[in-house]
Amino acid sequence: MEPTFRILPVLENKKLGPYNKITMKDVQIYAHAECGNFVMIGLQGFDPYLSRPFSFLEGNRTSFSILLKVKGRGTELLSKVKKGDKLKVLGPLGKIFCPPKEGILIAGGIGIAPVYYQSRWMKGGVLFYGAKRKKDLILTREFKDKGFTVRTITEEDGGLVTDLLKEYTDELDGKQIFVCGTKGMIKSIKGILNKEQIEKAYVYVEERMGCGLGGCKSCAVKTFEGYKLVCTEGPIFPLKEVKFD
Amino acid sequence: MEPTFRILPVLENKKLGPYNKITMKDVQIYAHAECGNFVMIGLQGFDPYLSRPFSFLEGNRTSFSILLKVKGRGTELLSKVKKGDKLKVLGPLGKIFCPPKEGILIAGGIGIAPVYYQSRWMKGGVLFYGAKRKKDLILTREFKDKGFTVRTITEEDGGLVTDLLKEYTDELDGKQIFVCGTKGMIKSIKGILNKEQIEKAYVYVEERMGCGLGGCKSCAVKTFEGYKLVCTEGPIFPLKEVKFD
Amino acid sequence: MIDLSTKLGSLELQNPVLLASGVWDFPYTKIIDFKRLGGVICKGVSPFPKEGNPPPRITETHCGLINSIGLENKGFDYFECEILPELKKLGTKIFVNIFGESIEEFKEIASKIKEVAGVEVNISCPNVSKGGEKFGKDPKMVFSITKAVCGETDLPVIVKLSPSVENIEETAQAAKEGGAMAVTASNTFPGLVIDLESKRPLFKRITGGLSGPAIKPLALYNVYRIKNAVDIPIIGSGGISDYKDVLEYFIAGASAVQLGSIIFNNPLAPIEILDNLICWLGEKGYKNLKDVNKK
Amino acid sequence: MIDLSTKLGSLELQNPVLLASGVWDFPYTKIIDFKRLGGVICKGVSPFPKEGNPPPRITETHCGLINSIGLENKGFDYFECEILPELKKLGTKIFVNIFGESIEEFKEIASKIKEVAGVEVNISCPNVSKGGEKFGKDPKMVFSITKAVCGETDLPVIVKLSPSVENIEETAQAAKEGGAMAVTASNTFPGLVIDLESKRPLFKRITGGLSGPAIKPLALYNVYRIKNAVDIPIIGSGGISDYKDVLEYFIAGASAVQLGSIIFNNPLAPIEILDNLICWLGEKGYKNLKDVNKK
Ligand SMILES: Cc1cc2nc3c(=O)[nH]c(=O)nc-3n(C[C@H](O)[C@H](O)[C@H](O)COP(=O)(O)OP(=O)(O)OC[C@H]3O[C@@H](n4cnc5c(N)ncnc54)[C@H](O)[C@@H]3O)c2cc1C
Ligand SMILES: Cc1cc2nc3c(=O)[nH]c(=O)nc-3n(C[C@H](O)[C@H](O)[C@H](O)COP(=O)(O)OP(=O)(O)OC[C@H]3O[C@@H](n4cnc5c(N)ncnc54)[C@H](O)[C@@H]3O)c2cc1C
Ligand SMILES: Cc1cc2nc3c(=O)[nH]c(=O)nc-3n(C[C@H](O)[C@H](O)[C@H](O)COP(=O)(O)O)c2cc1C
Ligand SMILES: Cc1cc2nc3c(=O)[nH]c(=O)nc-3n(C[C@H](O)[C@H](O)[C@H](O)COP(=O)(O)O)c2cc1C
Ligand code: FES
Ligand code: FES
């Protein structure tokens, strides 16, 4: 991993479920991207002033894409880019994580993006995947093709991903577990995992970022060893390390 | 004239000589535009924060266009608009001027835009027109078609519009004269007109503007009767009134 | 029906959105429906005509603008005969922004203003050599001017504070003690622009006043500071560009707000803000603006 | 060859572009060629580790950002062993930004810094409860801390001033009298953001420090004020985003500048600025940056 800063043209911006899949032309950044890496993406000019962190979704030798969920003003503006628009891209960033060949991926909503990217290095395992509505579930076919058992649940069906986990709790034993979702989801998952499971669980942490390069100390997350920086010491942290309040 | 504020889509942005001719879809603003009127045009968002004043160039029942010369950052950004982009447009603005049927138009560079717009109400006269290079001279064919005698000169040829005026000074007698160009050009023209000619001469004044609606008092121009506002008392002023320092 | 009304001391406003002093004039009535506004504050008027500063008078900065107008106005007599009668026809609450170069001048002009909603005392303009910010930075002077003005008029008096002080609580307190009904926080911030062609300050008077979205967090903090230190109604002013800004000001402690330079960027902003405030309150299930600050 | 070198008191810098304290760390060496910079100022270091403020620590505003980091750092011992040796390998001039909660703490740390280009004394951070801005607003304290630091080190001492004062000339003068070689004008401006969800200030410590293009005219004015009142070299800091800003600061009176939050917006800004400065000087026919200010 050797981060660079590039102005990349958008090749495509299309809907994937409730999200935007934005593809950029790139020969440099994705080529160096490892498991655990992410990118900072910004619009040219000062609106918004700061770039935003995104997981890689997938890529090849000439392009890569991200999956974007509109949350506030910045993602709203980013969601409107058109083919040919230029984006500021800084990456790959983050601490490289050595992924297991097999393991458990747990995703809520847009949390599917980082775990899908992680699955690039994996040969199979189980995906537990929760979303609001049935039509929000995406990429399940691709996970299956990669050899994953896919277990989904939606709030429409009246269930949360934690309900799924309770049902299949023994599938979690002995495997590395990766969780990506809202703080609320992570907390409840921590609540239902047993000690051994927690010992082998990791979480994708999100924090507001300024620089992505360890420069500004804004992306601090509280851990039992004090604050750590998501951008250089994460975004993947051992679940047991992170303090939730 | 009843000004309105509209978000108008760009229909076309094309080069006309060294300038950009930008055409917007509009059924409301140009329909109310009179001689002496101008528009404030801005990009959406805050960059640039202020709109910029432009003369109308020409229009019809469904669109109008402006002619834009890149000067600083604002015009640079505006010059890059593409078909479909939306512009903020406020107008028509300015004090209505009752144009003569025949008269003398004197334009330097981009000054051609307002006098061309003014020619809409005229049946003929003489256009004195100076520019940097031969290929910068535009719209001369159209002026001729409207019945104007067109006298051009370029710095390439080693001449200024004042040289032309000196040569044809008697053509100016008894006619209303309209000057649009840089401050330097206007000053030298004032220097070579005789008293009677000055008495019938008018000038298009430019000043930085905030609002275009008389609200901010930023567009003050020094006259022998104190400061006047270009946006509500101009942009056309009697030449003798304006103080140049 | 969602109720945007707000109380500013003794005054009830139909909504908190006022147009600030110095940014609008009558032609704006063609664009904005003034009857929908909470009120308007007119351009500063002084006892004698002021010609204002030599151009350039305005320039842009990132997300803002800097002006050096210098309070151009035709003086109180002209105002009284030509402008005030027209203002009264606007169908909204009128506040007269007044400016003097001495306590005497403030008194003179304050005594003559009648039949409007209130008077806003401008002791915070950074673009004049006499008075303005110089008065506004000195709590004693703020007190004396406020007291003098209040002695001359029965109208509610609003004092427009300068942000160029270390402790705006002190000048707010001085205004309160002088008898002000409310304070406006705050005026433009003195800023500098260098013209790279001449290699000199762009404005003849060196600095101009910075306004627009750039200053919002600073002006908002001024409101918050006053709210937590002085018991006086506050009108927020500085960088408001959308309804969320209005809500931030309201939560920080303002009872009303002024829209200034945003109307140069988008003359319809006041109306859009009012519409969006209603939508937001509706979505959140509030019936009144006042409920927003209920715990 | 166009010469961008500049003199900062006793120091000769190869160009005026420094990286500001608190915005960069070693990973930036992958993006920026540090050898091209005039120098860098490292993140504030205090005698004891500081864990910093609870998140959120940063948010955006129009054309700027507000931070509430709270000077997170691992303390001087860690700095000396782990960071300083690496800093020295960067191939550019190193300035160590120091922070203390008392005069004693400033002295302690100042006495231990060796073999760098200089020390920058941070008495202007708005995001800490002890020291910081509180020191920087009091000219007496500015004098005392500067004097104490200068008594402990032979290195050039730069005092980073707070913009939260009415008269920055006074604190600049105090720094000069205390023995400072230069002043930095100025740090971030305290600003407020309200979170509309919780209806409370977004930051736990209420305010954060506003930086970025939004503040440029204000910080530039601070430089101009000091230049015209106090005979001391000035490093400009605040809102610089392109080479024109650097020139404005230079003409206003700065001998060097710091780039801060612009590197979040565009990490290549320092290099682009240097390239563009060279182009501009070339186009204007200047051979040296110093010539720009010759009449
Ligand atoms: C390492 C990492 C990887 C991420 N990957 C993805 C991804 O692949 N796809 C995706 O859609 N989103 C991803 N996110 C989240 C995304 O960065 C935020 O949703 C985005 O920054 C919000 O910007 P905004 O302008 O829309 O929101 P703002 O208007 O800035 O804020 C809206 C809300 O979002 C929260 N927020 C702001 N910034 C962040 C942030 N950096 N992280 C978390 N919450 C934030 C704020 O607290 C606020 O409540 C990732 C975040 C991190 C840290
Ligand atoms: C009534 C009126 C009609 C105009 N019509 C046209 C037109 O039809 N076509 C056209 O190309 N231009 C026209 N202009 C000029 C145009 O508005 C300016 O060139 C433009 O505002 C400059 O913006 P900028 O951001 O490029 O320059 P800035 O970066 O803002 O400034 C660059 C330089 O331009 C000067 N400048 C800035 N604003 C103005 C202004 N409003 N008027 C004059 N000089 C200014 C500044 O002093 C500075 O020296 C007109 C101006 C007025 C007042
Ligand atoms: C061009 C201009 C002229 C102004 N004139 C006055 C004035 O005459 N009296 C006054 O009290 N404030 C004046 N102001 C200050 C505004 O009323 C307002 O307080 C300030 O611009 C901050 O608000 P904003 O950021 O919304 O513009 C003026 C501001 C601008 C931009
Ligand atoms: C995230 C962040 C952290 C900062 N940390 C420090 C610091 O530790 N010490 C310090 O003196 N200044 C610190 N500053 C202030 C900057 O060095 C700089 O003076 C300020 O941001 C203004 O410049 P800018 O507008 O170019 O960012 C920090 C600024 C930011 C944005
Ligand atoms: S985002 Fe700047 S340190 Fe992590
Ligand atoms: S541009 Fe505002 S008064 Fe003319």
Side-chain angles (χ1 to χ4, degrees), chain C residues 63 192 194 199 217 248 286 292, chain D residues 63 192 194 199 248 286 292:
Chain C
C63 293
L192 180 69
I194 299 280
K199 297 194 272 171
E248 285 195 57
Y286 294 118
V292 173
Chain D
C63 293
L192 180 70
I194 300 280
K199 296 194 269 168
E248 284 195 56
Y286 294 118
V292 173

Side-chain angles (χ1 to χ4, degrees), chain A residues 216, chain D residues 20-22 43-44 67 71 97 122 160 187-188 211-212 237-239 260-261:
Chain A
C216 66
Chain D
S21 176
K43 173 78 192 163
N67 86 79
L71 288 173
N97 182 284
N122 179 0
K160 188 160 181 180
N187 213 316
T188 55
S211 62
S237 165
S261 32

Side-chain angles (χ1 to χ4, degrees), chain A residues 214-235:
Chain A
C216 66
K217 323 294 175 204
S218 18
C219 60
V221 57
K222 204 160 210 156
T223 74
F224 287 94
E225 302 164 19
Y227 286 120
K228 294 204 169 176
L229 297 181
V230 175
C231 73
T232 50
E233 302 173 88

Side-chain angles (χ1 to χ4, degrees), chain A residues 30 57-61 63-65:
Chain A
Y30 195 75
L57 180 68
E58 58 183 14
N60 55 42
R61 269 179 290 179
S63 71
F64 76 86
S65 48

